[in-house]
Amino acid sequence: MKLIELESVRSTNDYVKENAGSLVSPSMVVARAQPAGRGQRGNSWESEPGANLTFSVFVRLHGFPARRQFAVSEAVALAVADTLGAFGVEAKVKWPNDIYVGDRKICGILIEHSLMGAELMHTIAGAGVNVNQKRFLSPAPNPVSMWQLLGRETQLAAVRDEMVRRLESAFSRIADEEGRQRVHKEFSGRLWRGDGKAYPFRDTATGEAFEASIAGIDPDGPLHLRLVDGSMRGYLFKQVEFIL
């Protein structure tokens, strides 16, 4: 994986999009400061310059079916969680792809695909991993960092290098359907609040709050919830939210 390190860039995902025509695959763009980093739903991402690992990966997955694009999200989320695990931080994946430790968010991921017909042309996977940040000043409700969990600093270069290794492995694992199925099974087993217990959710269309347990996830992404009365509901991304 080619490594491109920048002192400051508005957004690593934007940088990759602007330079996609000249980037080799795979490439990782790492920025010391990323003032306009963003996550899902257009949220901003607080990151103290030089304290965290903020990056985007550009990859072309040749012949990859567009209908299986959620497998890329699964693979990236698992790579991030496994990287954290290598440093002693046990993390889970909050559907669809935030990374949580307990009830606190340690990493946000933003996946952007470019499609050509029924295949992916390329993918940009951006992430911000909270590594050595000691305090969070934004109104975000539940951030946490490796420093806060471990009580010590972790070398950013070591986290970066482990992330590269895990991502390279992740992309190779989803190159065929058999590998994508294995990754999906692993992803399903690493879900935050995926222990079969009922938790509060909110239907974003109606505002209805209800309790349900996670019954499963389809390989193409939809979340299936089992309500306390035994009935089932299926939701696409942004149609339902976890209540913390």
Side-chain angles (χ1 to χ4, degrees), residues 70 74 78 92-93 95 180-196 214-219 222-223:
F70 188 67
E74 292 178 315
L78 288 173
K92 298 283 189 179
V93 183
W95 178 87
R180 291 190 283 269
Q181 291 175 8
R182 288 196 297 267
V183 166
H184 177 67
K185 182 177 180 180
E186 184 178 341
F187 180 88
S188 298
R190 296 280 289 278
L191 285 174
W192 180 72
R193 293 188 174 178
D195 55 8
I214 295 176
I217 297 176
D218 284 344
L223 176 70

Side-chain angles (χ1 to χ4, degrees), residues 59 67 97 119 180 186 218 220-221 233:
V59 62
R67 61 181 177 81
N97 55 14
E119 294 183 356
R180 291 190 283 269
E186 184 178 341
D218 284 344
D220 56 352
R233 292 185 186 179

Side-chain angles (χ1 to χ4, degrees), residues 6 8 24 27 32 57 62 66 69 73 92 119 127 131 139 144 153 165 211 227 229 242:
L6 305 173
S8 180
V24 300
S27 292
R32 184 178 183 276
V57 171
H62 299 288
Q69 61 186 271
S73 180
K92 298 283 189 179
E119 294 183 356
V131 181
V144 70
E153 286 198 356
R165 189 175 74 83
E211 289 198 348
L227 279 65
D229 64 2
F242 293 83

Side-chain angles (χ1 to χ4, degrees), residues 41 95 201-202 204 210 223 235-236 238-241:
R41 305 177 190 272
W95 178 87
F201 292 85
R202 179 178 292 108
T204 58
F210 60 94
L223 176 70
Y235 287 98
L236 300 175
K238 295 186 179 181
Q239 291 182 343
V240 68
E241 60 186 13

Side-chain angles (χ1 to χ4, degrees), residues 91-110:
K92 298 283 189 179
V93 183
K94 175 178 172 284
W95 178 87
N97 55 14
D98 281 337
I99 308 300
Y100 269 51
V101 178
D103 286 336
R104 304 177 74 183
K105 182 176 176 178
I106 195 167
C107 175
I109 299 172
L110 178 63

